[in-house]
Amino acid sequence: MDFGSTEGEIKYGFRNVFGHPKGAVAALNLPKSWFDELNQQYENRRKLVWQLADSLELSYTKEQSGLFVWCKLPEGKSADELVNFLLYEKNIFITPGHIFGSKGVQHVRISLCMPEFKILKLSNESNRSNHE
């Protein structure tokens, strides 16, 4: 069996195993402008997530980095209730912090990988419901 063949890659999963390094090498050859644009997209999403967190009455610090924004829930609010509401009523998944350990209790983690339109839609809906 030739492990370099398409048949071998499919049967043994080598395309999945070796595809990521090839993608990383290709990414290193992209122009700086590609990275600048991607960084700007994530910065825009971060600002939208802050707006969303404000509309949901969550607290956060703007000094965070990475692909997530960690938010603290107000006392008496349940992360699981918020996560379930957003998932089942708004089709948006955020992560309850407690799955990451005891320091995550009373927190949620919001991904910056979510499309901007979803963040905006939920933020606008939350703002409207808070003002009714």
Side-chain angles (χ1 to χ4, degrees):
M1 163 60 59
D2 177 12
F3 290 112
S5 70
T6 301
E7 178 187 0
E9 289 176 346
I10 292 170
K11 185 174 182 180
Y12 298 104
F14 287 117
R15 179 167 283 161
N16 291 335
V17 174
F18 297 115
H20 295 294
K22 288 178 185 176
V25 169
L28 291 173
N29 292 315
L30 292 171
K32 182 180 181 306
S33 61
W34 186 87
F35 292 99
D36 292 341
E37 183 179 325
L38 189 60
N39 287 336
Q40 187 60 54
Q41 288 176 10
Y42 281 108
E43 184 59 30
N44 293 342
R45 289 178 188 172
R46 182 179 309 282
K47 290 175 183 174
L48 291 173
V49 166
W50 292 340
Q51 290 175 8
L52 173 61
D54 290 340
S55 72
L56 295 171
E57 301 177 345
L58 304 173
S59 59
Y60 55 91
T61 62
K62 291 185 176 181
E63 290 75 33
Q64 299 179 49
S65 61
L67 295 176
F68 306 97
V69 173
W70 282 87
C71 301
K72 183 169 177 49
L73 283 90
E75 286 299 319
K77 298 287 183 176
S78 163
D80 287 336
E81 286 178 12
L82 176 61
V83 167
N84 286 334
F85 168 75
L86 293 176
L87 180 61
Y88 295 115
E89 300 297 325
K90 305 296 182 184
N91 294 318
I92 291 179
F93 179 72
I94 65 173
T95 310
H98 64 78
I99 69 168
F100 298 101
S102 61
K103 291 186 179 183
V105 172
Q106 218 42 37
H107 290 79
V108 292
R109 188 183 81 165
I110 304 174
S111 173
L112 299 179
C113 298
M114 189 178 352
E116 287 182 23
F117 78 90
K118 282 193 164 198
I119 304 167
L120 274 170
K121 182 178 182 221
L122 182 57
S123 183
N124 290 335
E125 289 175 2
S126 295
N127 281 327
R128 274 196 304 275
S129 67
N130 286 343
H131 293 103
E132 292 177 351

